[in-house]
Amino acid sequence: MSIGRYVLDAIYERRSVRAYERRQPSITLVRKLLKAAVHAPTAMHREPWGFAVIQDRDVLKRYSDRAKAMLRATPSQAVGWGSSALLRGDPPAMLKDPAFNIFYDAGTLVVICRRESSPFADADCWLAAQTLMLAATATGLGTCCIGFAVPVLNTREAKRELGIPREGAAVAPIILGYPRAPALGVPRKPAHVLSWIGREAAKRATRA
Ligand SMILES: Cc1cc2nc3c(=O)[nH]c(=O)nc-3n(C[C@H](O)[C@H](O)[C@H](O)COP(=O)(O)O)c2cc1C
């Protein structure tokens, strides 16, 4: 099988996993994923990322509870999501459920952070996040990106606890673990081609 086939398998098999076994990925395995993640493309070769790993369920529960409280308390005002996005509107009902853990009781969280405030640092971190998620899929692990966690991870206390520099930010929180069951596929619309300049035959295509 060609390497291209393996990569495509991982792309099509990756799904957000929201139910995990109790057993934790080993430290060696997490290190292997971090090693893969830093092979993502990086603007100006700055490699601005840093990784905060939490493998303590009590700490994750504490962050989950604080995240829910923060998101509930600021329903209509802007909440900072790293440096690039805003959350507005009423909080979803699940944030009011005391039993709901925003990390789905996964035992491992990798927070991909930027260590600086350069123009493409967030983009680099997201590329590292996708590389890590595909590598995790290839090793049999499930992942899910947890946007709900971004505001709490960017509080001053959390940044201090996680070793994120003042000029940096938590960008992409990714939970990891062994899936309790195969995740259901979420369908995608075909790629919407807005334009295709050149190559006469493809010119009128609206779908890939
Ligand atoms: C930036 C970002 C933030 C996300 N935040 C959450 C989240 O807080 N909780 C969650 O359950 N899923 C979250 N997701 C996962 C999406 O819901 C999921 O990727 C989408 O529904 C497509 O499903 P798939 O990943 O299985 O293909 C997030 C995904 C992205 C890219």
Side-chain angles (χ1 to χ4, degrees), residues 103-135:
F103 303 116
Y104 301 102
D105 299 313
T108 300
L109 175 72
V110 176
V111 188
I112 304 179
C113 308
R114 57 174 171 79
R115 290 179 288 113
E116 58 183 40
S117 169
S118 51
F120 290 108
D122 279 14
D124 289 4
C125 289
W126 283 113
L127 287 163
Q130 176 71 345
T131 304
L132 182 141
M133 288 192 280
L134 292 178

Side-chain angles (χ1 to χ4, degrees), residues 130-149:
Q130 176 71 345
T131 304
L132 182 141
M133 288 192 280
L134 292 178
T137 303
T139 58
L141 290 175
T143 61
C144 186
C145 179
I146 305 295
F148 275 155

Side-chain angles (χ1 to χ4, degrees), residues 153-166 168-169:
L153 295 172
N154 279 300
T155 56
R156 196 179 311 174
E157 312 82 74
K159 285 177 73 174
R160 194 175 316 119
E161 182 172 40
L162 300 179
I164 304 169
R166 195 192 311 210

Side-chain angles (χ1 to χ4, degrees), residues 40-195:
T42 169
M44 312 275 289
H45 208 133
R46 291 192 68 87
E47 303 183 62
W49 38 59
F51 301 87
V53 181
I54 305 178
Q55 290 201 289
D56 180 314
R57 283 198 160 80
D58 292 337
V59 173
L60 289 173
K61 169 88 169 55
R62 165 160 56 87
Y63 276 117
S64 172
D65 289 344
R66 285 177 58 198
K68 289 194 299 181
M70 273 180 79
L71 294 167
R72 279 196 313 262
T74 50
S76 55
Q77 83 190 60
V79 175
W81 286 53
S83 61
S84 61
L86 296 173
L87 172 69
R88 290 177 192 279
D90 289 332
M94 62 178 73
L95 295 175
K96 296 176 191 148
D97 178 356
F100 175 65
N101 181 315
I102 67 161
F103 303 116
Y104 301 102
D105 299 313
T108 300
L109 175 72
V110 176
V111 188
I112 304 179
C113 308
R114 57 174 171 79
R115 290 179 288 113
E116 58 183 40
S117 169
S118 51
F120 290 108
D122 279 14
D124 289 4
C125 289
W126 283 113
L127 287 163
Q130 176 71 345
T131 304
L132 182 141
M133 288 192 280
L134 292 178
T137 303
T139 58
L141 290 175
T143 61
C144 186
C145 179
I146 305 295
F148 275 155
V150 174
V152 73
L153 295 172
N154 279 300
T155 56
R156 196 179 311 174
E157 312 82 74
K159 285 177 73 174
R160 194 175 316 119
E161 182 172 40
L162 300 179
I164 304 169
R166 195 192 311 210
E167 63 280 16
V171 176
I174 310 290
I175 50 170
L176 292 176
Y178 291 96
R180 223 190 294 147
L184 294 177
V186 182
R188 291 294 199 273
K189 301 181 191 89
H192 189 107
V193 179
L194 294 173
S195 57

